[in-house]
Amino acid sequence: MQSARLIMYKKINVLATILVGVCSIGQAQNINSPYSRYGLGDIVPSQNILTRGMGGIGTAYYDFNSVNFLNPASYGRLQYVTLDFGAEIDNLTTRALNPVRKFSTASPIVSYINVGIPLKIKKKPILGLVFGLRPVSRINYKILRNERITSGTLNDSVATLFEGTGGSQQAFLGTGYRIGNFTAGVNAGYLFGSKDFTSRRIFLNDTVQYYKSNSETKTNYNGFFLNAGLQYTATLNKSLFLRMGVQGSWKQKLKGTQDVLRQTFDFDANSATFQIDSVFAEKDVKGTITTPASYSAGIILDNAGRWLIGVDYSTTKWSNYKFYNEKDPVQDSWELRLGGQLSPSSEGKNYWNFVSYRTGFSYGKDYVNVGSKLPKWTLSVGAGFPLRKVAYTNQFSVINTSLEFGQRGNKSNSVRESFFRVSIGFSMSDLWFIKRKYD
């Protein structure tokens, strides 16, 4: 029993180390996107690293040793206790037309951390339990605008700095149940986040001194969320299967608390700001945030694990979004995803026969609507690298990788973004609860 306990302690230490990494990496979200000003911010991909390599076709996807949190119905297919962890580095290049500018930033971010546990009923694992934590959106932008204001006797140069930070995360608990080829599941959890917006304006005049102004609004919000999904697998022949899936989240209301400040300020000798006068201040303003409903449907054609191809379609009703009963310049969004996977073989001595190769493409309309529509597309490739052969261990661990390149907007938009995302995920499955007869 001591050896079994020692193994368990080592695994707990691994979990603790990963959680420390989550806390440290999660602080370094410094990507600069002006579009993160709208809605809840830039939406973080809602698929795991495995399905991102296939263009994001996650609605109908499942396997026995990874956590597909996009559709909780997939939890009913879990067979092993699984730790699923993902991280990514995003490189974003922003191009503006007027004036012509180009700016690039890079940022690491923890994509998710999940734990999946199969629960046996009558000695068969047909019920899965999953709990996890993942980011939903992030806000980070800093924009300096220089302009000339002429009105009556006023003829001055003005510099305005717009700055925003924040984002949202969700902690969730989900379960999936399987009956034959049919599975159903639900995720329930807690969504929490913040939106902090600041605008500082400075008049540049040689003869008249104007006070510098600062407008700041800080909002914290939270609430419960719920989403559910279904999956069904039809047998076409003994080696060909058709997987089908749907999932959705309902429109929900979050509770918010807001602090509003309007003030004049100046800089001290160390370039730090200090308040001159408070023009208006209000704290703990209660309000609600209405989040949009979203739905997706997908199908996958699976040739007994050797290859698969699939398609997903998703839509989000951003026209229903309200922040403190105010509309944002957002619109209903949609996305079509295509992708596939090739697994050459699971036999032989050549390691590369055990690697799964993936590729995919997506195209859609973004939720931001500032002056004109904002098209977006993404091209992805990925691979799954097993850490060791299953025959010699009780572990079924895989390193999943994904490379994504895409664009948001085109030459008709005043601001166009292109991005390159490198993602890596660890899916570590193990038979943790084996009854060992020998120490």
Side-chain angles (χ1 to χ4, degrees):
M1 288 298 296
Q2 289 183 346
S3 61
R5 290 175 181 174
L6 180 60
I7 293 173
M8 181 63 73
Y9 291 151
K10 288 181 178 179
K11 291 170 182 174
I12 292 174
N13 289 335
V14 170
L15 289 174
T17 302
I18 291 176
L19 288 172
V20 171
V22 169
C23 296
S24 60
I25 298 177
Q27 302 300 319
Q29 300 181 20
N30 59 353
I31 206 162
N32 191 354
S33 171
Y35 289 129
S36 68
R37 164 65 178 79
Y38 307 104
L40 294 178
D42 272 343
I43 305 301
V44 176
S46 57
Q47 301 87 6
N48 61 15
I49 307 300
L50 189 157
T51 55
R52 286 190 207 176
M54 298 186 289
I57 54 167
T59 308
Y61 183 83
Y62 61 81
D63 63 29
F64 64 89
N65 68 334
S66 72
V67 178
N68 176 17
F69 48 84
L70 176 68
N71 191 341
S74 64
Y75 304 161
R77 299 281 181 172
L78 288 173
Q79 295 185 21
Y80 308 100
V81 176
T82 300
L83 171 66
D84 218 351
F85 172 77
E88 63 193 68
I89 298 177
D90 296 344
N91 184 282
L92 180 70
T93 299
T94 304
R95 294 176 174 85
L97 295 180
N98 187 21
V100 177
R101 292 179 181 177
K102 179 181 176 181
F103 184 72
S104 297
T105 54
S107 171
I109 181 176
V110 172
S111 306
Y112 52 82
I113 178 168
N114 304 307
V115 176
I117 304 172
L119 303 177
K120 292 185 178 182
I121 298 178
K122 294 182 180 180
K123 299 182 179 181
K124 293 183 179 180
I126 61 175
L127 180 67
L129 180 69
V130 171
F131 58 92
L133 176 69
R134 75 177 191 91
V136 176
S137 64
R138 52 180 174 168
I139 301 170
N140 200 95
Y141 65 87
K142 183 180 288 188
I143 304 169
L144 178 63
R145 184 177 70 190
N146 295 308
E147 58 186 329
R148 190 86 179 171
I149 296 180
T150 57
S151 177
T153 59
L154 186 65
N155 188 5
D156 294 299
S157 296
V158 178
T160 306
L161 178 65
F162 302 93
E163 190 171 3
T165 59
S168 59
Q169 302 81 36
Q170 64 175 215
F172 67 93
L173 176 68
T175 185
Y177 185 74
R178 176 164 56 93
I179 303 177
N181 293 330
F182 177 83
T183 56
V186 61
N187 280 327
Y190 188 69
L191 177 69
F192 57 96
S194 65
K195 291 179 70 171
D196 299 345
F197 294 158
T198 303
S199 299
R200 294 188 178 96
R201 172 167 285 192
I202 301 174
F203 281 81
L204 307 175
N205 190 290
D206 295 332
T207 58
V208 180
Q209 182 178 0
Y210 296 95
Y211 285 123
K212 302 173 180 65
S213 67
N214 176 45
S215 299
E216 189 171 342
T217 303
K218 296 184 177 181
T219 308
N220 293 306
Y221 55 86
N222 57 75
F224 294 96
F225 74 92
L226 187 72
N227 80 294
L230 302 171
Q231 287 183 341
Y232 179 77
T233 301
T235 302
L236 303 182
N237 58 45
K238 62 181 180 180
S239 62
L240 198 61
F241 306 91
L242 183 65
R243 308 184 190 180
M244 295 168 281
V246 295
Q247 67 84 30
S249 301
W250 291 268
K251 180 176 71 172
Q252 298 175 39
K253 291 185 180 295
L254 308 175
K255 296 181 180 180
T257 302
Q258 192 174 85
D259 294 342
V260 181
L261 176 64
R262 306 291 183 260
Q263 65 177 175
T264 56
F265 74 97
D266 209 338
F267 298 102
D268 61 20
N270 298 318
S271 298
T273 62
F274 65 91
Q275 178 178 295
I276 297 176
D277 188 22
S278 175
V279 179
F280 176 83
E282 193 172 8
K283 288 190 174 183
D284 297 331
V285 180
K286 305 299 182 183
T288 59
I289 296 93
T290 303
T291 60
S294 63
Y295 312 96
S296 70
I299 57 173
I300 289 177
L301 186 64
D302 178 16
N303 184 15
R306 294 299 177 89
W307 58 261
L308 62 83
I309 56 174
V311 58
D312 262 26
Y313 176 81
S314 66
T315 181
T316 304
K317 301 298 182 180
W318 281 101
S319 57
N320 295 327
Y321 172 81
K322 287 185 179 180
F323 191 84
Y324 272 65
N325 208 33
E326 292 185 0
K327 289 280 190 178
D328 239 11
V330 293
Q331 62 187 346
D332 292 346
S333 63
W334 62 268
E335 190 170 29
L336 181 68
R337 309 183 187 100
L338 305 171
Q341 173 179 275
L342 176 64
S343 302
S345 176
S346 58
E347 300 176 354
K349 297 182 179 180
N350 189 343
Y351 173 80
W352 299 105
N353 288 341
F354 296 85
V355 175
S356 297
Y357 304 92
R358 306 166 184 134
T359 187
F361 176 78
S362 68
Y363 179 81
K365 182 178 71 173
D366 197 77
Y367 69 96
V368 177
N369 183 15
V370 185
S372 60
K373 295 180 180 180
L374 202 64
K376 61 179 181 179
W377 60 266
T378 303
L379 178 65
S380 64
V381 294
F385 301 95
L387 293 182
R388 62 183 73 181
K389 291 184 178 181
V390 176
Y392 304 109
T393 178
N394 292 324
Q395 295 180 335
F396 300 80
S397 300
V398 179
I399 297 177
N400 292 303
T401 60
S402 174
L403 304 178
E404 301 168 81
F405 175 76
Q407 185 170 284
R408 189 182 194 186
N410 52 35
K411 292 183 179 180
S412 66
N413 300 111
S414 58
V415 177
R416 183 171 83 251
E417 295 180 346
S418 59
F419 67 88
F420 182 70
R421 181 184 297 126
V422 181
S423 306
I424 183 168
F426 298 91
S427 180
M428 293 173 279
S429 301
D430 205 341
L431 306 181
W432 282 21
F433 304 112
I434 289 179
K435 292 182 179 180
R436 292 173 171 81
K437 295 183 179 180
Y438 302 99
D439 290 335

